[in-house]
């Protein structure tokens, strides 16, 4: 099940970039010197940092102290952290169906094609946007193209991030002929 709370834009960590997380995970997975246990621990640490950055609901002090196996009652925070100060309504939304549709679209777009797909291209495909780059690659002719056209844009972006975090999708970094790296998606 794919669940997340209050899909408002993140404002707590302006220097956080989700690509940093995906690059970190990719480097950990490629490091042949790591034992399986160490690789698992490092991936878990990276995931905890990611979750801390993405969590805009739970008390920050409770999260940090919980990392050190200490308990903390969020009532004692006294609105000292951004999440406790935020009084906007909280809601839990179940986006399992959207996650399943996203996965079906991704698999449909990449099945039988040698074309790679970035997270931005997947978001464009979900929204049904038809920039020339998507048209020229033949993506827009897919019957599932635009399946998320009625979803809120922030839901699409957060959903893709959560699917990456849950290892439903995985980043694959490829070195381009021009020398820069491009991050594509693949099914985990």
């Amino acid at each position: 099940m794919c669940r997340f709370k209050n899909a408002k834009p993140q404002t707590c960590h302006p220097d956080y970039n989700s690509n940093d997380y995906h690059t970190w995970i990719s480097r950990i997975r490629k490091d042949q010197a790591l034992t399986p246990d160490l690789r698992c621990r490092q991936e878990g640490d990276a995931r905890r940092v990611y979750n801390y950055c993405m969590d805009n609901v739970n008390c920050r002090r409770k999260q940090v102290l919980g990392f050190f196996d200490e308990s903390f009652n969020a009532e004692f925070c006294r609105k000292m952290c951004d999440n406790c100060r935020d009084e906007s309504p909280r809601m839990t939304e179940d986006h399992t169906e959207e996650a399943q549709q996203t996965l079906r679209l991704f698999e449909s777009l990449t099945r039988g094609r040698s074309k790679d797909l970035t997270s931005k291209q997947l978001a464009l495909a979900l929204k049904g946007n038809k920039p020339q780059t998507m048209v020229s690659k033949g993506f827009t002719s897919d019957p599932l193209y635009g399946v998320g056209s009625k979803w809120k844009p922030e839901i699409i972006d957060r959903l893709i991030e959560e699917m990456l975090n849950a290892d439903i999708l995985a980043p694959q970094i490829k070195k381009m002929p021009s020398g820069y790296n491009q991050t594509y998606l693949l099914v985990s």
Side-chain angles (χ1 to χ4, degrees):
M1 183 178 307
C2 185
R3 291 183 179 266
F4 52 90
K5 291 184 179 180
N6 201 7
K8 68 182 179 182
Q10 301 299 304
T11 57
C12 174
H13 300 279
D15 296 328
Y16 171 74
N17 181 332
S18 64
N19 285 334
D20 294 340
Y21 165 73
H22 301 302
T23 300
W24 192 9
I25 290 290
S26 181
R27 286 182 184 156
I28 292 167
R29 289 178 179 169
K30 288 180 181 177
D31 189 343
Q32 299 299 316
L34 295 177
T35 65
D37 288 342
L38 187 54
R39 181 175 289 114
C40 184
R41 194 183 91 223
Q42 287 187 3
E43 281 189 36
D45 288 345
R47 192 165 282 110
R48 280 190 288 282
V49 169
Y50 169 85
N51 288 334
Y52 177 84
C53 291
M54 294 302 293
D55 188 333
N56 61 357
V57 175
N58 296 303
C59 176
R60 299 275 180 207
R61 290 178 70 189
K62 183 175 179 115
Q63 291 180 66
V64 170
L65 291 170
F67 178 79
F68 296 106
D69 294 323
E70 293 185 32
S71 60
F72 179 76
N73 185 336
E75 292 177 13
F76 296 122
C77 180
R78 294 184 175 84
K79 300 188 180 193
M80 295 300 290
C81 76
D82 61 322
N83 288 344
C84 290
R85 275 192 306 272
D86 182 1
E87 295 182 1
S88 61
R90 310 283 189 208
M91 62 182 154
T92 299
E93 299 174 345
D94 184 353
H95 292 281
T96 304
E97 179 62 32
E98 289 90 340
Q100 291 170 343
Q101 290 175 344
T102 299
L103 191 56
R104 282 194 292 275
L105 172 63
F106 178 81
E107 290 174 333
S108 181
L109 290 174
T110 56
R111 185 180 303 121
R113 301 175 193 217
S114 60
K115 298 176 180 107
D116 294 311
L117 196 66
T118 67
S119 59
K120 288 182 182 179
Q121 289 171 325
L122 179 57
L124 288 172
L126 284 165
K127 294 172 189 174
N129 294 355
K130 296 184 178 182
Q132 184 55 40
T133 55
M134 298 296 276
V135 173
S136 66
K137 291 182 179 185
F139 290 138
T140 57
S141 62
D142 191 282
L144 295 175
Y145 199 87
V147 71
S149 62
K150 294 187 178 10
W151 306 344
K152 295 177 185 175
E154 61 269 15
I155 296 292
I156 291 173
D157 296 337
R158 181 82 181 261
L159 183 62
I160 293 170
E161 282 300 315
E162 291 296 326
M163 290 176 75
L164 281 160
N165 185 42
D167 285 331
I168 297 167
L169 296 174
Q172 178 183 33
I173 299 173
K174 289 187 178 181
K175 188 143 191 114
M176 305 307 289
S178 59
Y180 72 93
N181 291 333
Q182 179 65 50
T183 303
Y184 294 104
L185 300 175
L186 54 92
V187 176
S188 293

